[in-house]
Amino acid sequence: MFSLSLALPMLFTMLIHATDSLSYALRLGGLRTRRIALAISLAGILLLVSRTSNMAQGPMIGSLVDAATRGANPHFATQLHWLMGAATIGTALAILCFPTMVKLSSRMVVHFEAAGSIPGMVRQLMKRSKLRNATYYITAPSWEMAKRLVQHGMPRRLMLLNVAVTAIYTTGVLSSLYAAYLYPDQAVAASQSTGLINGMATILLTILVDPRISLLSDRSLRGEIRLNRMNQIYGCMLISRLFGTLVAQVLLIPLAYWIGWIVSMM
């Protein structure tokens, strides 16, 4: 059931979701340094790499699909659930690293402004003195941080939207591949529906979630919202991402059947 052909995609999935989640740290670091435009630029690079990498997930687990189609892999559905478990682990690691990454991101944004370019910033950060000082910013999550998440009310609607978007994004590629296994006569069309599913998640994120976060960030820069409130909001967004990866476990098979029904109607 578990093999190298599964371990590599699991590691890849874990890194994708950890990187995607830590883009929030860059945005919060930009708020703390009042350089939000620079922070969004750096966060956009992380998101671009993460979402492009997510598209490469399909070919990496192609051998699992082929083996399942030949009847040589009876545990295909279980392996897909393991892959989504790797997404949950990656998000959980991002939560543990979040306080550290916020502090490092604050410095990274300042270095980006000073260097004027990504390569220049990387050269600055790779200096031995900078690497040695990085240990100063290591901060472990505390119980006080967890308690602050529920103070002054949680952004429930925003969190629910983020759960839905994360769930669709997490299971999109895997449900398409499972649909290809369930409907071998429509395997090519089902596997190519990956872009449709992820496109839906991206549209929902772009229209419903990101503008709200940007609005709150602007209000924070104008002094209408305290920075502590933004710390709480970004923390809640991370928690909702974690729950989204868990909801994806439930959506895997129903979404695969929905994809199969769609492609069979074409």
Side-chain angles (χ1 to χ4, degrees):
M1 183 185 299
F2 190 84
S3 62
L4 183 61
S5 60
L6 178 62
L8 288 177
M10 285 182 66
L11 179 61
F12 202 65
T13 301
M14 184 177 67
L15 293 175
I16 288 173
H17 282 265
T19 302
D20 208 353
S21 300
L22 287 174
S23 65
Y24 289 141
L26 275 168
R27 297 185 186 189
L28 188 53
L31 278 179
R32 290 187 172 188
T33 57
R34 306 188 68 81
R35 294 170 173 85
I36 189 63
L38 294 176
I40 290 176
S41 177
L42 290 174
I45 295 172
L46 274 184
L47 291 174
L48 178 62
V49 171
S50 173
R51 289 167 190 172
T52 303
S53 300
N54 191 55
M55 297 296 292
Q57 188 183 45
M60 290 185 68
I61 58 177
S63 61
L64 301 178
V65 182
D66 292 339
T69 304
R70 297 194 307 268
N73 184 9
H75 305 292
F76 183 46
T78 302
Q79 290 175 334
L80 295 181
H81 283 294
W82 282 14
L83 283 167
M84 286 188 289
T88 303
I89 293 172
T91 306
L93 289 175
I95 292 173
L96 294 176
C97 296
F98 192 72
T100 299
M101 286 303 301
V102 170
K103 291 184 177 181
L104 288 175
S105 296
S106 299
R107 299 306 307 158
M108 190 182 302
V109 170
V110 172
H111 285 299
F112 181 35
E113 182 181 40
S117 67
I118 298 294
M121 180 192 70
V122 173
R123 284 196 300 269
Q124 287 292 325
L125 294 177
M126 292 306 292
K127 290 182 178 179
R128 184 177 301 178
S129 59
K130 295 292 191 301
L131 293 175
R132 187 168 53 248
N133 292 336
T135 58
Y136 171 77
Y137 298 101
I138 295 176
T139 305
S142 65
W143 180 244
E144 288 298 322
M145 294 178 184
K147 288 197 295 185
R148 284 198 293 268
L149 290 179
V150 297
Q151 292 176 349
H152 311 298
M154 302 173 74
R156 292 183 178 87
R157 181 183 299 179
L158 194 58
M159 290 178 70
L160 286 174
L161 287 171
N162 204 35
V163 167
V165 170
T166 303
I168 296 171
Y169 173 69
T170 301
T171 193
V173 173
L174 303 180
S175 290
S176 298
L177 294 175
Y178 194 63
Y181 163 70
L182 293 173
Y183 299 88
D185 293 338
Q186 304 289 339
V188 175
S191 61
Q192 290 179 345
S193 64
T194 299
L196 172 64
I197 304 300
N198 284 346
M200 290 171 52
T202 301
I203 290 171
L204 289 173
L205 181 69
T206 304
I207 294 177
L208 300 176
V209 178
D210 278 351
R212 180 61 179 168
I213 295 294
S214 298
L215 176 62
L216 293 171
S217 298
D218 281 344
R219 291 177 63 186
S220 177
L221 287 175
R222 294 197 300 268
E224 299 174 13
I225 297 178
R226 296 182 62 183
L227 185 58
N228 286 341
R229 175 61 172 168
M230 292 306 301
N231 291 340
Q232 180 201 23
I233 288 173
Y234 276 108
C236 289
M237 295 302 289
L238 272 177
I239 297 299
S240 63
R241 280 187 61 89
L242 183 67
F243 278 102
T245 63
L246 296 175
V247 172
Q249 299 276 3
V250 180
L251 293 180
L252 172 66
I253 295 178
L255 190 57
Y257 278 105
W258 179 78
I259 293 170
W261 177 74
I262 291 292
V263 297
S264 64
M265 297 291 289
M266 295 180 179

